[in-house]
Short mmCIF file of all heavy atoms in Angstrom, two decimals:
data_model
loop_
_atom_site.label_atom_id
_atom_site.label_comp_id
_atom_site.label_asym_id
_atom_site.label_seq_id
_atom_site.Cartn_x
_atom_site.Cartn_y
_atom_site.Cartn_z
N SER I 964 -22.67 16.14 6.92
CA SER I 964 -22.38 15.33 5.74
C SER I 964 -23.41 15.59 4.64
O SER I 964 -24.61 15.69 4.91
CB SER I 964 -22.39 13.85 6.14
OG SER I 964 -21.99 13.09 5.04
N GLY I 965 -22.92 15.74 3.42
CA GLY I 965 -23.83 15.91 2.28
C GLY I 965 -24.30 17.33 2.07
O GLY I 965 -25.18 17.57 1.25
N GLY I 967 -22.63 19.78 0.74
CA GLY I 967 -22.11 20.39 -0.48
C GLY I 967 -20.73 21.02 -0.34
O GLY I 967 -20.28 21.71 -1.25
N LYS I 968 -20.04 20.75 0.75
CA LYS I 968 -18.71 21.34 0.96
C LYS I 968 -17.73 20.86 -0.10
O LYS I 968 -17.05 21.66 -0.75
CB LYS I 968 -18.14 20.92 2.33
CG LYS I 968 -19.10 21.03 3.49
CD LYS I 968 -18.45 20.55 4.77
CE LYS I 968 -18.27 19.04 4.85
NZ LYS I 968 -19.53 18.30 5.04
N THR I 969 -17.67 19.53 -0.28
CA THR I 969 -16.75 18.97 -1.25
C THR I 969 -17.07 19.48 -2.65
O THR I 969 -16.18 19.85 -3.42
CB THR I 969 -16.82 17.44 -1.22
OG1 THR I 969 -16.41 17.00 0.08
CG2 THR I 969 -15.93 16.83 -2.26
N THR I 970 -18.35 19.54 -2.97
CA THR I 970 -18.76 20.01 -4.29
C THR I 970 -18.27 21.43 -4.53
O THR I 970 -17.72 21.74 -5.59
CB THR I 970 -20.29 19.93 -4.42
OG1 THR I 970 -20.71 18.61 -4.13
CG2 THR I 970 -20.73 20.31 -5.81
N GLN I 1008 -8.76 13.78 0.68
CA GLN I 1008 -9.06 13.08 1.93
C GLN I 1008 -8.29 11.77 2.02
O GLN I 1008 -7.75 11.43 3.06
CB GLN I 1008 -10.56 12.81 2.01
CG GLN I 1008 -10.97 12.06 3.25
CD GLN I 1008 -12.47 11.98 3.38
OE1 GLN I 1008 -13.21 12.44 2.52
NE2 GLN I 1008 -12.93 11.39 4.46
N ASP I 1084 -9.53 18.88 1.26
CA ASP I 1084 -10.81 18.24 1.54
C ASP I 1084 -10.63 17.22 2.67
O ASP I 1084 -10.13 16.12 2.44
CB ASP I 1084 -11.34 17.54 0.28
CG ASP I 1084 -12.77 17.08 0.47
OD1 ASP I 1084 -13.32 17.28 1.57
OD2 ASP I 1084 -13.34 16.53 -0.50
N GLU I 1085 -11.02 17.59 3.85
CA GLU I 1085 -10.91 16.72 5.03
C GLU I 1085 -9.57 15.99 5.08
O GLU I 1085 -9.54 14.76 5.16
CB GLU I 1085 -12.06 15.71 5.05
CG GLU I 1085 -13.40 16.38 4.85
CD GLU I 1085 -14.54 15.64 5.52
OE1 GLU I 1085 -14.27 14.86 6.44
OE2 GLU I 1085 -15.69 15.87 5.13
N VAL I 1116 -11.90 22.05 3.94
CA VAL I 1116 -13.22 21.46 4.16
C VAL I 1116 -13.17 20.49 5.33
O VAL I 1116 -12.24 19.68 5.43
CB VAL I 1116 -13.71 20.72 2.89
CG1 VAL I 1116 -14.87 19.81 3.21
CG2 VAL I 1116 -14.09 21.70 1.81
N HIS I 1118 -16.00 18.41 8.41
CA HIS I 1118 -17.33 18.37 9.00
C HIS I 1118 -17.23 18.49 10.52
O HIS I 1118 -18.21 18.41 11.23
CB HIS I 1118 -18.06 17.08 8.60
CG HIS I 1118 -17.37 15.85 9.07
ND1 HIS I 1118 -16.61 15.06 8.24
CD2 HIS I 1118 -17.30 15.28 10.28
CE1 HIS I 1118 -16.09 14.08 8.92
NE2 HIS I 1118 -16.48 14.17 10.16
MG1 MG J 423 -16.98 15.73 1.27
#
Side-chain angles (χ1 to χ4, degrees):
Chain I
S964 186
K968 314 178 287 288
T969 297
T970 305
Q1008 179 172 3
D1084 190 358
E1085 310 209 21
V1116 164
H1118 61 258

